Amino acid sequence: MNEWDSTSLAAVIPEKWSKDVLAAMYSDNGVIGSVLSKLDSDKGRGDIQHIPVAPRFSTNAVGSDGSITVQNLTTTDNSVTMNVWREVSIGVIDRDSWQSVYGGYEGLLAQYKDGFILRLKEFVENDLLSLWSSVTTNATPTAPQEMNASLLRLGQQQLDEGRVLKEDRTLVLAPKPFWALMGDQVLSNIAAVGGQSVLREGSSAIPKVYGVKLIESQEVASNSGLYRNLIYQKQAIALAMSKTFSFQRLDKTDLTENFVADVLYGRGVIRETFASVINTKTV
């Protein structure tokens, strides 16, 4: 029996295209906000950001005649060179924008614009976490383990022994050690997380665990079978912006519309002892 089906009627059955493009996936970019950021007050001229660090004072005995020992105030100059310039750009041919289902540049661009800035932020986060190689003073353990509560406490202890500020501490973990820590029996105790159960939090960014902000990041550096997870106080790492994240349309030079997002920044370890690398297994 002859039947009309989708094959025989292909010429008169149209295909349908969704106008909603599924977005590309990017990291959460939580690290950018947890370092010493020079984003607003220091924007402007210049390609080097100087960050002075005050010395640690000593105490001295007062002499029997009331004499004192005057200390010299020698401030350490830490500088960050703002020489990392990254961009994301696309060119849309006029014909394609006219004929697309989005009806012009603006409709077409709306489907992709957010991805421009997100990809740049993801790169910056990766760049910040690559600084683990500059942290050699504190590293634990020598033999990598699965992430657990005791390693978190050890990282905290190292910072405490170095008289590091307790405020604004962050632990950044790759997904594998992050979820290993979430399964730790100690952290299932409500008292350990200030009245909240970690296992019921349901978020990749737990507000506080043992007083530390916890961030899960796919950008954590790995090397020689190790994840180089990082616990640090805000002053350990500096991010200096010469030009913050921006998006713009460029002048046309032909029948193509060009769009670009870019950022110009520098980053560096300012106080190495304010951070500690926690080595965990990748497999």
Side-chain angles (χ1 to χ4, degrees), residues 3 27 39 101 105 111 113 117 123 218 226 258 264 280:
E3 294 182 350
S27 300
L39 300 178
V101 295
Y105 294 112
Q111 300 295 324
K113 184 176 180 180
I117 302 299
F123 178 87
Q218 295 85 354
L226 304 177
N258 295 310
L264 177 58
T280 60

Side-chain angles (χ1 to χ4, degrees), residues 57-245:
F57 296 119
S58 62
T59 64
N60 301 287
V62 177
S64 58
D65 59 352
S67 60
I68 59 174
T69 303
V70 178
Q71 301 176 52
N72 292 323
L73 181 61
T74 305
T75 302
T76 303
D77 177 23
N78 290 271
S79 61
V80 176
T81 301
M82 294 174 281
N83 60 357
V84 182
W85 196 3
R86 304 292 297 190
E87 59 86 14
V88 176
S89 57
I90 62 170
V92 182
I93 300 172
D94 288 358
R95 180 192 62 192
D96 295 337
S97 70
W98 302 331
Q99 295 179 343
S100 76
V101 295
Y102 302 106
Y105 294 112
E106 298 304 325
L108 182 63
L109 194 61
Q111 300 295 324
Y112 301 98
K113 184 176 180 180
D114 289 345
F116 279 55
I117 302 299
L118 288 174
R119 183 63 186 98
L120 286 173
K121 288 184 175 181
E122 188 177 59
F123 178 87
V124 174
E125 178 168 307
N126 179 283
D127 207 18
L128 290 170
L129 292 177
S130 71
L131 293 173
W132 67 266
S133 59
S134 298
V135 180
T136 58
T137 302
N138 299 321
T140 189
T142 52
Q145 307 171 13
E146 290 289 349
M147 187 62 199
N148 54 61
S150 65
L151 288 182
L152 172 55
R153 294 194 300 270
L154 183 56
Q156 283 277 65
Q157 178 184 328
Q158 287 183 324
L159 297 185
D160 287 349
E161 289 172 348
R163 297 186 175 88
V164 176
L165 297 172
K166 290 184 178 295
E167 295 79 14
D168 298 319
R169 291 186 183 182
T170 301
L171 172 61
V172 185
L173 297 169
K176 184 177 186 294
F178 177 88
W179 288 110
L181 183 61
M182 292 300 95
D184 191 285
Q185 289 300 309
V186 175
L187 295 187
S188 64
N189 186 332
I190 294 178
V193 289
Q196 285 191 87
S197 172
V198 170
L199 302 180
R200 292 198 300 269
E201 181 65 28
S203 171
S204 62
I206 308 301
K208 293 283 185 179
V209 176
Y210 290 138
V212 181
K213 179 182 178 181
L214 208 59
I215 294 177
E216 178 189 15
S217 174
Q218 295 85 354
E219 307 306 315
V220 170
S222 61
N223 181 271
S224 301
L226 304 177
Y227 282 123
R228 309 295 190 177
N229 309 285
L230 200 62
I231 182 171
Y232 58 91
Q233 203 276 339
K234 189 173 187 176
Q235 296 181 23
I237 299 172
L239 172 65
M241 291 284 193
S242 182
K243 181 178 185 293
T244 191
F245 303 99

Side-chain angles (χ1 to χ4, degrees), residues 90-92 248-254 256-260:
I90 62 170
V92 182
Q248 58 187 314
R249 176 185 290 181
L250 303 181
D251 293 336
K252 293 181 67 170
T253 56
D254 48 29
T256 299
E257 199 80 30
N258 295 310
F259 303 89
V260 63

